[in-house]
Amino acid sequence: MNTPASRPLAVVHETRYRYDAPVELAHHLSYLRPRQDQAQTVEVHTLDILPVPGRVQQDLDAQGNWRSIFALSAPHEELVVRACSRVLVRGRHRDLDPAAGLSWEAATARLRYRAGAPYAPEAEYAFPSPYVPLHGLLRDYALESFTPGRPVAQAAIDLMHRLHARFTYAPASTQLTTPMIEAFEEKRGVCQDYAHVMLGCLRALGLAARYVSGYLLSKPPAGRPRLIGADASHAWLAVHCPGLPDNGGWLDLDPTNDLIPSTEHVILAYGRDYGDVTPLRGVIRGGGGHELSVHVTVMPWDDAPAQLGLPQ
């Protein structure tokens, strides 16, 4: 079946915290508004917060991601943050030629420091980060795909195929605190682990690669209705391939599903790793223990039921 040139999607992401004791003061940061670029248009977006904060600041961070900052000064025992978006997604890599562009050796050479050389913005994604430290094991693993003279895109796609084939997707098998190298050695994890491991492989070679947070349009089993709130946020990565004409040379790759993202992926934010673009985080005073629930729905806009409460 051919992928459509564009697709309007509805995304609802609801996060609910229930606290054992009243929270007296809270400051929160969220990344819940999708990015806007040549391949993705945010046509409608709303962010509803209960209790209602006195002020919500929305701006762009250094990477061009939308973020919302809000504070709550009244005592509360529950926090609900609900983001709703209508996003028109277009295919990013419809005319991709993986054999085009520079070899991976030439790409890494461009990122090395040279006095007087022009600044390459992608270089900041070539270094280790808190969730993606450098490991020799990952470099050795990557070199099986990155043979001498091979174009970056071609080698990266091969690496994605290998990771997908050798890893097992295992929900709840890892936590945010699970070291990336442990997921690599166990060859199991969730989408975040797949993305972090592949980022580690690429950066170990000196290539620029960034973490991508977002959503994936899932398909219910044949003859079964789509479940509301049963989806989840998703993660993949993008590697910089100098010489590719589209998307500034950035090639998106989804190792969890072994595919190049197109019109079924909605991009929320870019970062060095998950820690840069956590959907919702904050600092609170009080609260004691808490219970967290997250419900995500991604579906074609025309199929979105009225009970989702989507903005028109």
Side-chain angles (χ1 to χ4, degrees):
M1 183 174 64
N2 293 330
T3 301
S6 64
R7 189 196 306 263
L9 296 177
V11 180
V12 179
H13 187 147
E14 181 177 291
T15 304
R16 186 181 298 265
Y17 282 95
R18 292 187 176 91
Y19 304 104
D20 293 341
V23 172
E24 301 172 357
L25 181 65
H27 291 269
H28 293 280
L29 169 66
S30 71
Y31 285 92
L32 290 168
R33 175 172 177 159
R35 289 181 66 97
Q36 177 134 335
D37 58 26
Q38 73 277 8
Q40 183 170 286
T41 302
V42 181
E43 299 181 328
V44 180
H45 174 78
T46 60
L47 181 68
D48 296 310
I49 304 167
L50 290 175
V52 178
R55 179 172 175 266
V56 178
Q57 175 186 332
Q58 295 187 333
D59 58 16
L60 297 174
D61 69 7
Q63 307 306 323
N65 304 311
W66 279 103
R67 63 183 179 184
S68 298
I69 302 169
F70 60 93
L72 300 166
S73 56
H76 55 282
E77 296 183 358
E78 183 176 69
L79 171 67
V80 180
V81 180
R82 190 173 194 265
C84 300
S85 304
R86 172 187 166 108
V87 186
L88 181 64
V89 185
R90 307 171 190 86
R92 292 178 178 272
H93 309 293
R94 298 183 68 86
D95 299 316
L96 175 67
D97 178 7
L102 297 182
S103 69
W104 69 271
E105 296 97 334
T108 60
R110 291 177 70 255
L111 299 177
R112 298 192 188 105
Y113 173 77
R114 301 189 309 277
Y119 171 66
E122 65 273 12
E124 62 187 282
Y125 293 108
F127 297 98
S129 60
Y131 284 87
V132 187
L134 295 184
H135 282 279
L137 285 175
L138 298 183
R139 176 181 171 83
D140 294 342
Y141 187 85
L143 283 173
E144 294 182 36
S145 297
F146 286 80
T147 52
R150 199 173 193 184
V152 179
Q154 191 178 75
I157 291 171
D158 183 73
L159 175 61
M160 175 180 69
H161 294 331
R162 291 173 49 227
L163 280 173
H164 179 80
R166 299 181 189 181
F167 276 60
T168 299
Y169 184 83
S173 63
T174 59
Q175 301 177 344
L176 289 177
T177 55
T178 301
M180 175 266 292
I181 195 64
E182 182 177 318
F184 172 75
E185 291 173 336
E186 295 292 330
K187 298 294 188 291
R188 62 194 299 111
V190 295
C191 60
Q192 174 187 294
D193 300 302
Y194 280 70
H196 282 159
V197 167
M198 190 163 175
L199 286 172
C201 290
L202 295 167
R203 291 180 190 167
L205 296 175
L207 293 165
R210 64 193 183 192
Y211 184 92
V212 186
S213 70
Y215 306 101
L216 173 63
L217 175 65
S218 60
K219 299 180 178 63
R224 299 281 298 277
R226 184 182 300 275
L227 298 177
I228 303 302
D231 294 324
S233 55
H234 191 45
W236 60 100
L237 66 119
V239 57
H240 194 256
C241 307
L244 289 189
D246 296 330
N247 202 33
W250 288 100
L251 174 62
D252 290 68
L253 298 171
D254 182 350
T256 306
N257 295 290
D258 195 24
L259 54 79
I260 297 173
S262 183
T263 60
E264 296 181 345
H265 288 67
V266 176
I267 296 174
L268 266 181
Y270 298 138
R272 296 169 303 161
D273 55 35
Y274 171 82
D276 282 352
V277 292
T278 306
L280 179 65
R281 64 187 177 205
V283 178
I284 64 174
R285 185 172 69 194
H290 70 268
E291 178 185 339
L292 169 66
S293 61
V294 180
H295 299 283
V296 176
T297 299
V298 184
M299 63 195 318
W301 181 266
D302 293 340
D303 296 341
Q307 64 262 36
L308 281 179
L310 294 169
Q312 300 300 314

